[in-house]
Amino acid sequence: MQRDFLIVGGGVVGMAVAYGLARAGQRVSVLDESDDALRASRGNAGLTWMQGKGAGMPRYGELSLDSCLAWPDFAAELAARTGVDIQHECHGGVDLCFDADEAEVRCNEYTALQGASPRLASDFRWQYLEREALLTHLPGLGESVHGGTWSPHDGHCNPLYLLRALYAACQMLGVEIRPATPVNEVRALGAGFSARTAMGSVAAERIVIAAGLGARTLAPVLGLSGAVRPVRGQMLITERRPIVPQLPTPQIRQTASGGYLIGDSHEDAGLDKGVTLEMLQVLAEKAVRIYPALRDARLVRAWGALRVMTPDGYPLYEESTLHPGAYNLNCHSGITLAALHAGALSQSLLDDRLGRDYPQFSGARFDVQAY
Ligand SMILES: Cc1cc2nc3c(=O)[nH]c(=O)nc-3n(C[C@H](O)[C@H](O)[C@H](O)COP(=O)(O)OP(=O)(O)OC[C@H]3O[C@@H](n4cnc5c(N)ncnc54)[C@H](O)[C@@H]3O)c2cc1C
């Protein structure tokens, strides 16, 4: 098979781009590792979230907003193609504040962000709501919560169904997906690129490294940035409870099946994706503070997963200057950005415009400055 694109990494970033490219008629192969790999896409909170994005880099806020706005059509399109309902809901979301200082910092941040971007000044809608005003959005909210920022752009989905839908859609579009095929080495050829695996080499005209933390070793070989590090998050889920019409929050959300998904921890734990009793206790106590009715809820499962974090927290979207046609795609909000990745970002790859469309996101920003 003559391939246009070879994608290394079958997480939500690689699969969203594979889908976008295949939908445009490209011949695409995806190589992925096996079930024991580090995979943020299978352990995350499933938020499609605008709030908190872009402080220090307004363009990131704009992209996050674009993606959130594109999400309803993206979810509907995937459902129509595959029959998989991703359980995407976008009726707004609330980022909670536990005291007045936190509220002030948050409001100042969003105001500054809007001051730095005319687009966000007109299109990013948000409002700080005191606890009493939040009760209509979050019935049952605990008395010790100060308030929170509400935004209509925020939502949530089932991230595992998202991945399932992307795999199904890609297969329908003829994408060759090779699971349990770790890439040991990537190389630039005279024309095109190749990836060496235990089952032989695979070649294509262009190559996309979408390998999450795997980019640390693969990307630099092609002159791309490997500047990503793991940041652990621990998650808890309760037994199924009757559905309450509460908006999602980054701290806790009720899933479509009734379980409450809890967890907003950020830890530097190296490559350890385990859980600790200490952190699970912190998360459970916070959940009960937010919704006291959960005091009696049984916890049914806990897990840890590793975020893929760049030094400044913004995405890496870059083409190699050393080897044009080799790309590196990495971000820590791959669920939120999935609609963008399948849409505008894939189009930039097709049009050979990635560097021009996303200049702020090159790995060159992490290079040590020469004096
Ligand atoms: C606890 C937690 C909560 C989160 N919550 C949210 C949220 O609510 N909303 C949101 O938008 N984002 C969230 N995220 C972030 C989101 O999960 C990630 O941004 C996203 O999953 C990154 O996807 P990825 O495809 O880049 O990485 P991964 O999911 O890590 O996938 C990379 C893939 O590359 C493969 N790979 C690596 N090396 C190789 C190799 N050598 N050969 C072949 N394959 C290779 C791996 O096997 C893996 O399948 C959260 C993350 C965590 C950990």
Side-chain angles (χ1 to χ4, degrees):
M1 167 185 168
Q2 182 65 37
R3 296 172 188 85
D4 299 305
F5 282 90
L6 174 58
I7 297 183
V8 183
V12 71
V13 172
M15 295 310 296
V17 170
Y19 172 59
L21 294 172
R23 190 179 49 185
Q26 298 292 292
R27 294 157 299 180
V28 181
S29 289
V30 177
L31 306 182
D32 196 30
E33 293 178 302
S34 34
D35 285 344
D36 56 355
L38 301 172
R39 289 168 152 172
S41 301
R42 292 162 199 247
N44 64 77
L47 297 171
T48 55
W49 209 256
M50 166 60 201
Q51 290 198 59
K53 309 287 170 59
M57 196 200 268
R59 181 74 181 125
Y60 178 41
E62 293 167 3
L63 295 185
S64 300
L65 181 60
D66 285 343
S67 200
C68 285
L69 295 173
W71 244 100
D73 286 347
F74 172 61
E77 182 186 316
L78 281 176
R81 276 185 193 273
T82 66
V84 179
D85 174 6
I86 302 169
Q87 299 174 343
H88 179 244
E89 285 188 0
C90 186
H91 308 305
V94 178
D95 195 354
L96 296 169
C97 294
F98 292 88
D99 58 44
D101 289 347
E102 194 181 354
E104 188 181 350
V105 170
R106 177 89 51 76
C107 292
N108 288 343
E109 180 192 308
Y110 290 4
T111 305
L113 177 63
Q114 291 184 302
S117 160
R119 163 88 202 285
L120 295 179
S122 70
D123 295 349
F124 172 31
R125 291 173 51 214
W126 66 277
Q127 194 180 356
Y128 187 78
L129 298 174
E130 304 280 350
R131 177 182 172 274
E132 291 300 314
L134 271 184
L135 283 171
T136 50
H137 294 308
L138 304 174
L141 188 63
E143 290 187 358
S144 70
V145 176
H146 185 276
T149 40
W150 164 87
S151 171
H153 312 300
D154 297 329
H156 58 154
C157 71
N158 182 322
L160 296 178
Y161 288 175
L162 167 61
L163 206 53
R164 185 196 290 176
L166 286 171
Y167 268 80
C170 281
Q171 273 162 341
M172 288 172 176
L173 290 166
V175 174
E176 179 200 28
I177 302 172
R178 297 197 197 178
T181 310
V183 170
N184 300 318
E185 186 188 25
V186 286
R187 278 200 308 142
L189 306 171
F193 298 87
S194 84
R196 187 171 57 77
T197 78
M199 278 73 82
S201 289
V202 183
E205 275 180 35
R206 299 200 258 172
I207 189 166
V208 177
I209 308 297
L213 292 168
R216 290 178 304 168
T217 50
L218 294 174
V221 178
L222 296 172
L224 297 160
S225 175
V228 284
R229 69 186 168 91
V231 173
R232 184 170 70 185
Q234 297 189 39
M235 308 290 302
L236 273 170
I237 189 142
T238 70
E239 62 186 335
R240 294 177 182 201
R241 312 270 292 186
I243 297 287
V244 183
Q246 292 155 332
L247 293 183
T249 80
Q251 295 80 19
I252 184 169
R253 71 178 179 92
Q254 191 174 28
T255 65
S257 53
Y260 278 84
L261 187 60
I262 302 162
D264 60 347
S265 65
H266 290 67
E267 298 167 277
D268 188 354
L271 294 178
D272 179 358
K273 57 177 177 171
V275 293
T276 62
L277 267 181
E278 291 78 10
M279 182 54 78
L280 296 182
Q281 186 172 355
V282 168
L283 297 177
E285 282 173 358
K286 196 194 255 188
V288 170
R289 195 174 163 193
I290 297 169
Y291 293 130
L294 292 183
R295 191 175 303 279
D296 302 324
R298 276 177 300 185
L299 297 166
V300 294
R301 200 158 72 86
W303 67 93
L306 301 179
R307 293 184 179 81
V308 184
M309 198 65 76
T310 58
D312 58 11
Y314 308 125
L316 263 172
Y317 299 142
E318 59 172 352
E319 179 174 9
S320 173
T321 46
L322 209 57
H323 302 292
Y327 308 91
N328 189 17
L329 304 178
N330 238 313
C331 68
H332 83 79
S333 277
I335 306 303
T336 302
L337 293 170
L340 179 95
H341 292 164
L345 189 116
S346 293
Q347 191 61 49
S348 292
L349 288 175
L350 278 170
D351 297 344
D352 202 10
R353 294 184 50 90
L354 191 76
R356 274 170 287 167
D357 290 344
Y358 301 93
Q360 303 88 341
F361 298 98
S362 157
R365 69 188 192 271
F366 305 129
D367 290 349
V368 177
Q369 300 294 313
Y371 290 99

